[in-house]
Amino acid sequence: MRDPLLALRPWEAPEVTSWGRLPMNAVDRREGAHSLDGEWRFQLLPAPDAPVGGVWSTATVPGVWTMQDTADLPQYLNIRMPYTEFPPLSPADNPTGVYERDLDIPADWAGRRIVLQVGAAESVLLVHVDGRPVGISKDSHLAAEFDLTDLVCPGARAVVRLTVVKWSDASHIEDQDHWWHGGITRSVLLYATDPLHLADVRVEARRDGDLRVDCQVRDTGGALPEGWYVSGELDGPHGLPLARDTEFDRLNTQDERVSAFLGEARLRARVPGVRTWNAETPELYDLTVRLHRGDGTVADTSRHHVGFRDVEIVDRDLLINGERVFVRGVNRHDFHPLTGRTVAYDDMRADLVLLKRFGFNAIRTAHYPNDPALYDLADEIGFYVVDEADIESHDHAHEIADDPRYLNAFVDRVSRMVLRDKNHPSVIIWSLGNESDYGANHDAAAGWARRHDPTRPLQYEGAAKRGWADPDVASDIACPMYAPLEDCVAHALSGRQTKPLIQCEYSHAMGNSNGTLADHWAAIEATPGLQGGFIWEFWDHGILQSVTDGRPAGRGGAGLYDSGVAAPGYRWAYGGDFGEQDHDGAFIADGVVLPDRTPKPVMYEHRELAAPVRLDCFRHEGLVLSNHQHFRGLDWLAAEWELALADGGTLTAPAVLPDLRPGETAVVPLPFELPPDGGEAWLTLRVTTAEDLPWAPRSTEVCTPQLRLRDAEAVTRAVADPLSEPVAETAAKGSVEVDADGLLVHPLLSAAPTLSLWRAPTDNDELGGMALRWRTWGLDALVRKPVSVRRDGGSVTVVAEYAGAAGVVRHRQTFTPVEGGLRIDEEAELPDAFDDVARVGSVFETVGGLDLLEWFGQGPWESYPDRSAGAPVGHHCLPVDALFTPYLRPQESGGRHGVRRFTLSASDATGLTVSLDEPRQVSVTRHRAEDLTAAAHHDELVPRAGCVVHLDAAHRGLGTASCGPDTFPSYLVAPGRHRWSWTLRVL
Ligand code: GAL
Ligand code: MG
């Protein structure tokens, strides 16, 4: 007989969202459950209706088969579907995993209700037990439960089969921008309850201490037994008992419609002096709810963490407990470089701990409900969560949003998310999904969510069809993506703003990116109506891959990477690396952390922009210190003063943080007497955690606000000869040596300083079109032609022309012997055609062995003109190899902004020192720009023995043009004349 589940062809039936599946609920059954995780028998069929009967291998559950030992590998596509079939159809070639294992049903489960829970399976799950059909479920990112009570026999063995179909009608609404996989991605459990059980518990806890607990009670035997009741207590047996809602009970008994099959019980409490929950002080209470039989014995128990808090929108402000909080968010996928999709609890915890240490306070679960543990951790560690439903029909957005065949699926996905996550204080907003146009299906889902949970706002980016003030039902928040900052500010100032403006995605973190983040935050903090946004995104989704056989390393790859770099023989794979014909390349590598969670430099920028303590200005009477938090004082912080003197090292002094409430400021005395000499002076407050916290051990750095106390003395630059000076030939005599081409000869330089206008294009440069322009102009291959070499006293002036396809740049260098070395005065004249180049500056290469860089300037981490707010000025020191950020697709990397001088030295203390006329952008790496450009992956780079040193008179900002706005005009390199000077000395 044909299997009825297969006969339904549920993979091409969008109306069928489930069959035989239990309603979603918020009762946590993990405690006491039997884990079915581990090795399952496994077969990969070519299509869902292909016969099972081949050879069984094994597969790990949870885990996608695309990362295990099968021929079906991951594929990365952003928008395009991986096949041409129109919704709701699937391709004939449709990998289908059949997972099977034995279940030993404990004998003492006799008389109990037995439930199978499959944490998540993508994209269609069919369940059989002993060959009998049990159920169907869709939604690759939510659990499905099936009642097996009548299908299994306690004390006996049963065989459970989970068939997972990869492509389906549902894939068309799971077209999110990440890797396509197939398999079971979250844990599988088997648990038993009393037939009389809590089917759902809903907790509402308000900031005034009002607590309401609504319980749904069922009995699998049928009618509920006489006399059942529910009790509850907060914070353990000696805590606060909850009272029955007598008014509700009275109305229930009078109401003829109350059935003996659907039990509802309500509990109430008012918690005196409640400690409210917010992301800064995530106070949680423990709630225990018990379901009793008539004789008082306990039939079922449900435990919850409760956070008392309110979310509301008042005018155009989103308020948490009455406070207009800034949303410093990030978009987070469930991702891991070894498993693809499955994230272990410890990994999720590590994600959140890292985010917290870098000043983030919010997460958007892009673009589907994340693993349930994520929300527990967000409650505990303190994050505001925008919980997003698993709906993205990107490639067919327009067709699906109004297609009634998909109506069930929209409502099903939103409602099941709400039912699952409703009790988490961290969840402050529901999101209807992502990039699915806007249609009636959205409004249907919005209607359900509003009625069911009036305590939280809704958002949906696609709803703003008629602008951000559109009064559509699907979005209470104006949540655009990658909106130009000036548009956001203009909207907030327009007088027409009706909703809080919190960008659901902004500052695209692909490669070396996130320029202008500081400008964004300056505007957000200064403009009422703007409340923040969610950076795109947390991870670079590089999959650890063996270079030899091209396969994902899988779980066996643990430890095969360090500090963002894959071990020899491995690399971080991105789109196209698994032989996919259609793919979207490195667009999958757009996170603020590298695939192994190593923070990219932008994380430090973010941390500083989120600083809870600020040093805002310096007045004669002292320093102004302020508390920039919303809810707490500074008592969780410790601090130390540091004074960095350009010419005198760094002094430290203990700091006492004043007792400041949120928003308050205090004037504190200057902690140091400024020494009369020492040049530029910078004062830093190094702020750390004062005690161990759940997310940071004591002394973890929190921020380093900084003020300049004294300027540098003005540098006198040699009066340069105009570029048009006539050519004069002189013999190569004296202490400056140049070769026949006018190139400096120097014992420590393996390549003389020449002009550079180009950088290895960043992803932003490539996707924003700048790199193409630079190539068209010929900036990547300028041809240098010496024009003149002239000696004047001890100095030598070399004029050269650098010819590109679209223009010629005249460049003059004057080398003047100074005490201990050479001063180099340079000038370049860019034609008007070169109106947006990557850089104007010098590049040279050193001999090998100079492996340590010490510098006075911004650092220690990488910084660029439009991403330098988080890199304090000071004396820094790093090995040259540690300066470089291993972005997945090699590109411009390792820059340091605002460098005043640097020393490159060998272990025997020989080396060179460079002093710059002004704070300049400097980079010291092992790679020429063309080396970086030629490589597609980091492992292809062959480090040079010497250093490639760039020092730039001007360097273009990074912006975010790979997806979103470019840098601001003020960070562009202007055409015309650029002058810079530096001194080179040998140690
Ligand atoms: C957005 C989208 C994200 C991602 C991002 C670019 O349009 O919502 O899923 O594709 O752009 O990385
Ligand atoms: Mg998309």
Side-chain angles (χ1 to χ4, degrees), residues 78 177 367 434-435 481-482 505 508 536 587 590 963:
N78 170 9
D177 178 8
H367 299 299
N434 188 55
E435 298 186 319
M481 46 173 77
Y482 313 108
E505 295 175 29
H508 195 247
W536 186 266
F587 206 61
D590 53 2
C963 183

Side-chain angles (χ1 to χ4, degrees), residues 674-948:
L674 267 192
D677 308 316
E680 231 181 314
W682 289 83
L683 179 70
T684 307
L685 186 64
R686 198 164 289 279
V687 181
T688 54
T689 51
E691 58 207 54
D692 288 344
L693 298 171
W695 52 272
R698 182 169 173 263
S699 300
T700 302
E701 197 162 280
V702 173
C703 58
T704 54
Q706 188 174 56
L707 282 179
R708 178 169 30 207
L709 295 189
R710 187 167 60 204
D711 275 334
E713 279 160 33
V715 177
T716 43
R717 203 186 283 135
V719 181
D721 303 327
L723 287 173
S724 51
E725 274 285 286
V727 175
E729 277 301 324
T730 40
K733 278 198 232 124
S735 59
V736 178
E737 196 183 336
V738 295
D739 68 11
D741 290 328
L743 295 169
L744 179 71
V745 177
H746 189 282
L748 289 182
L749 303 193
S750 61
T754 53
L755 177 71
S756 174
L757 304 181
W758 188 62
R759 66 184 176 201
T762 63
D763 293 311
N764 291 326
D765 296 338
E766 288 289 1
L767 296 170
M770 288 76 85
L772 180 65
R773 243 178 7 248
W774 298 338
R775 288 191 189 101
T776 315
W777 295 346
L779 301 190
D780 54 335
L782 292 173
V783 179
R784 178 181 181 277
K785 194 177 85 192
V787 174
S788 68
V789 177
R790 189 167 62 86
R791 288 199 172 268
D792 186 0
S795 63
V796 178
T797 296
V798 178
V799 176
E801 281 181 359
Y802 288 74
V808 174
V809 179
R810 273 206 143 208
H811 175 230
R812 181 184 49 73
Q813 286 173 317
T814 299
F815 303 100
T816 309
V818 291
E819 200 191 323
L822 276 182
R823 192 176 71 216
I824 301 145
D825 296 297
E826 307 202 43
E827 185 170 302
E829 177 94 31
L830 267 60
D832 287 347
F834 292 170
D835 60 355
D836 178 12
V837 300
R839 57 162 37 115
V840 178
S842 321
V843 58
F844 62 84
E845 291 175 24
T846 72
V847 296
L850 306 184
D851 296 337
L852 188 73
L853 183 78
E854 291 162 86
W855 74 101
F856 183 69
Q858 293 191 246
W861 24 82
E862 183 190 277
S863 52
Y864 284 84
D866 61 351
R867 203 191 67 216
S868 68
V873 177
H875 296 279
H876 303 290
C877 176
L878 278 175
V880 169
D881 291 328
L883 294 164
F884 188 75
T885 309
Y887 295 112
L888 261 62
R889 197 191 63 76
Q891 53 196 279
E892 163 65 31
S893 166
R896 298 296 186 280
H897 192 59
V899 176
R900 284 82 166 153
R901 67 163 183 267
F902 63 90
T903 298
L904 261 172
S905 60
S907 49
D908 62 1
T910 59
L912 55 86
T913 291
V914 169
S915 308
L916 295 141
D917 55 344
E918 279 177 28
R920 302 283 187 187
Q921 182 79 19
V922 167
S923 77
V924 179
T925 68
R926 301 286 187 199
H927 312 287
R928 294 182 184 160
E930 58 264 34
D931 302 342
L932 296 168
T933 310
H937 295 87
H938 184 75
D939 68 297
E940 295 157 30
L941 292 172
V942 183
R944 291 174 184 272
C947 299
V948 179

Side-chain angles (χ1 to χ4, degrees), residues 275-284 307-309 321 356 379-384 629-633 635-636 695:
R275 301 182 310 274
T276 53
W277 185 98
N278 60 70
E280 290 171 11
T281 53
E283 296 280 359
L284 291 176
F308 290 81
R309 61 109 187 85
N321 298 340
K356 194 82 176 174
D379 293 345
E380 180 205 326
I381 297 174
F383 285 94
Y384 304 116
Q629 301 169 98
H630 297 294
F631 297 102
R632 65 184 153 176
D635 44 338
W636 62 288
W695 52 272

